[in-house]
Amino acid sequence: GAGVSQTPSNKVTEKGKYVELRCDPISGHTALYWYRQSLGQGPEFLIYFQGTGAADDSGLPNDRFFAVRPEGSVSTLKIQRTERGDSAVYLCASSFQPSSYEQYFGPGTRLTVT
Amino acid sequence: RKEVEQDPGPFNVPEGATVAFNCTYSNSASQSFFWYRQDCRKEPKLLMSVYSSGNEDGRFTAQLNRASQYISLLIRDSKLSDSATYLCVVNRGSTLGRLYFGRGTQLTVWP
């Protein structure tokens, strides 16, 4: 079956611009996660959704970052006034339930802020 | 202090070698433990969970020492296809679903 998909696969933007990153989880998965991975580091948690609501957004680095999941399926991560330090691979994952041990990751969106 | 600490390597071993990776975690409340594998420029994928009694999956053996807050992964009879980054991962019960990743240990198996 289809896995987690993310679009775009690559995004280059100028400092100060706004970007949106999209995630399509596996059908039927209620839990959705966003992580950010910088070069040479492991993924770092940003936010997780259970259904439509953000159950834990404690990993968002500041108020320039925001995420939504209005219908409990597709999620969008939004970054305002991008900075060069935001450059990273943004990974989305989903699991059947939050307590499910296996999270299935999408291929990521590589964001480059110039 | 980072939640999960790993030696980044790199480890370069010949085919057929046995190699071991270790990691430590800082929060004693951690409840679930995993090894994920990540190929170059690809997403992480679950390799195996780690249980208190230790567990084995083919050539891979994982061990957990809760007292020392230490997790290990042993790979026997290394294959070229084992070349990847291995991520040590923990989950605290209090933060349901959220995973804490180490920075990963890079392994290259050469012929």
Side-chain angles (χ1 to χ4, degrees), chain B residues 1-104:
Chain B
R1 185 182 171 188
K2 286 203 160 199
E3 188 88 12
V4 181
E5 299 270 9
Q6 277 185 268
D7 177 354
F11 285 64
N12 297 299
V13 302
E15 269 189 296
T18 295
V19 61
F21 307 136
N22 307 310
C23 84
T24 58
Y25 59 94
S26 61
N27 195 307
S28 59
S30 297
Q31 294 192 2
S32 303
F33 309 90
F34 315 98
W35 286 99
Y36 273 69
R37 171 191 168 130
Q38 186 170 28
D39 292 299
C40 188
R41 300 178 77 89
K42 298 288 190 181
E43 69 273 22
K45 292 184 179 178
L46 179 67
L47 176 67
M48 60 196 301
S49 300
V50 187
Y51 303 116
S52 296
S53 54
N55 48 296
E56 189 173 303
D57 182 1
R59 298 181 292 108
F60 299 83
T61 301
Q63 299 276 355
L64 167 65
N65 184 321
R66 284 187 184 270
S68 303
Q69 296 179 200
Y70 172 94
I71 306 163
S72 66
L73 177 68
L74 183 78
I75 305 175
R76 292 183 301 279
D77 188 23
S78 299
K79 311 291 185 192
L80 297 177
S81 57
D82 294 335
S83 297
T85 296
Y86 291 83
L87 297 159
C88 180
V89 185
V90 306
N91 170 256
R92 295 191 213 162
S94 60
T95 53
L96 200 62
R98 173 177 179 167
L99 298 179
Y100 295 84
F101 286 80
R103 64 181 296 185

Side-chain angles (χ1 to χ4, degrees), chain A residues 8-102:
Chain A
S9 55
N10 283 282
K11 177 71 178 178
V12 180
T13 191
E14 292 180 349
K15 179 175 177 296
K17 298 290 189 184
Y18 167 82
V19 296
E20 289 190 352
L21 312 179
R22 176 187 167 108
C23 171
D24 264 288
I26 292 171
S27 178
H29 280 193
T30 61
L32 183 147
Y33 312 82
W34 284 99
Y35 294 85
R36 174 169 75 171
Q37 187 171 24
S38 300
L39 193 63
Q41 302 297 317
E44 178 186 25
F45 172 81
L46 295 175
I47 185 170
Y48 111 77
F49 290 88
Q50 174 57 28
T52 60
D56 181 356
D57 65 357
S58 61
L60 295 176
N62 51 60
D63 61 6
R64 296 187 297 106
F65 289 75
F66 188 71
V68 295
R69 194 186 185 199
E71 297 177 358
S73 178
V74 170
S75 176
T76 305
L77 179 65
K78 308 180 182 197
I79 311 174
Q80 298 177 322
R81 305 184 304 281
T82 51
E83 299 177 356
R84 292 195 181 88
D86 298 335
S87 297
V89 176
Y90 289 80
L91 293 163
C92 177
S94 70
S95 66
F96 183 62
Q97 299 173 43
S99 56
S100 298
Y101 64 82
E102 183 163 8

